[in-house]
Amino acid sequence: MSRELGIGQSTAYRVTQSLLQRGLVRPRVEIEPALLGYALEAVVALTVSAGGMREAARTLARHPSARYVSTNAGAFSVVHQDVFRDEEGLAEFLTGDLAELAGVISFDVSVALQALRRHWLDREDGRLAAAPGPTDTGSGPHDDT
């Protein structure tokens, strides 16, 4: 980190420790869901009555399949990104758990075919892509600017 930021190692250490202690940074491990047996990724976008939006989102956030849940202003009031072992698991979720959720007016399901980027990390063939080298200028095809 010190080399990347152009600061001394002790400064980089102190900054890192401060960020960790204040809870501003939380290191985590990123594992491809398929490696854990969750081969099917889906996004379920729901239209939920205004009065049921918060509770629906909270309930979905506790579901074991949930990777990401948000409430939104727009065409869909709740978005639930999830993982399942197979199509049967998705079907059980849609016809069981989701069917019992109060306030759901409608929903749309999108099944992911391939994840090319997740959590700012590029993917190639289901694995993390090679990290850019020290001379990478960031002007490649994955530049977000």
Side-chain angles (χ1 to χ4, degrees):
M1 187 169 105
S2 66
R3 185 177 24 225
E4 203 52 42
L5 296 175
I7 58 177
Q9 287 182 350
S10 61
T11 301
Y13 177 81
R14 283 193 312 274
V15 168
T16 301
Q17 291 303 309
S18 174
L19 291 170
L20 290 168
Q21 289 169 358
R22 292 185 294 160
L24 299 174
V25 174
R26 291 186 186 156
R28 65 186 176 133
V29 175
E30 175 65 27
I31 299 173
E32 286 297 317
L35 296 174
L36 299 176
Y38 296 92
L40 192 143
E41 296 182 57
V43 175
V44 180
L46 301 95
T47 302
V48 181
S49 64
M53 198 164 90
R54 278 198 187 121
E55 187 56 34
R58 286 185 183 125
T59 299
L60 289 170
R62 290 189 300 267
H63 195 274
S65 68
R67 293 194 65 193
Y68 172 86
V69 177
S70 66
T71 56
N72 308 289
F76 297 105
S77 47
V78 177
V79 172
H80 181 260
Q81 180 185 2
D82 38 21
V83 294
F84 301 95
R85 294 196 182 278
D86 50 32
E87 291 85 359
E88 186 176 316
L90 174 59
E92 287 177 19
F93 171 73
L94 297 174
T95 60
D97 301 310
L98 195 57
E100 295 173 7
L101 200 56
V104 174
I105 297 167
S106 65
F107 62 88
D108 184 70
V109 180
S110 296
V111 174
L113 300 177
Q114 181 182 22
L116 302 175
R117 178 172 262 216
R118 184 180 292 122
H119 306 294
W120 300 281
L121 301 171
D122 292 340
R123 311 289 188 197
E124 290 177 3
D125 300 322
R127 298 181 184 272
L128 291 174
T135 59
D136 188 348
T137 62
S139 60
H142 301 294
D143 186 31
D144 288 331
T145 56

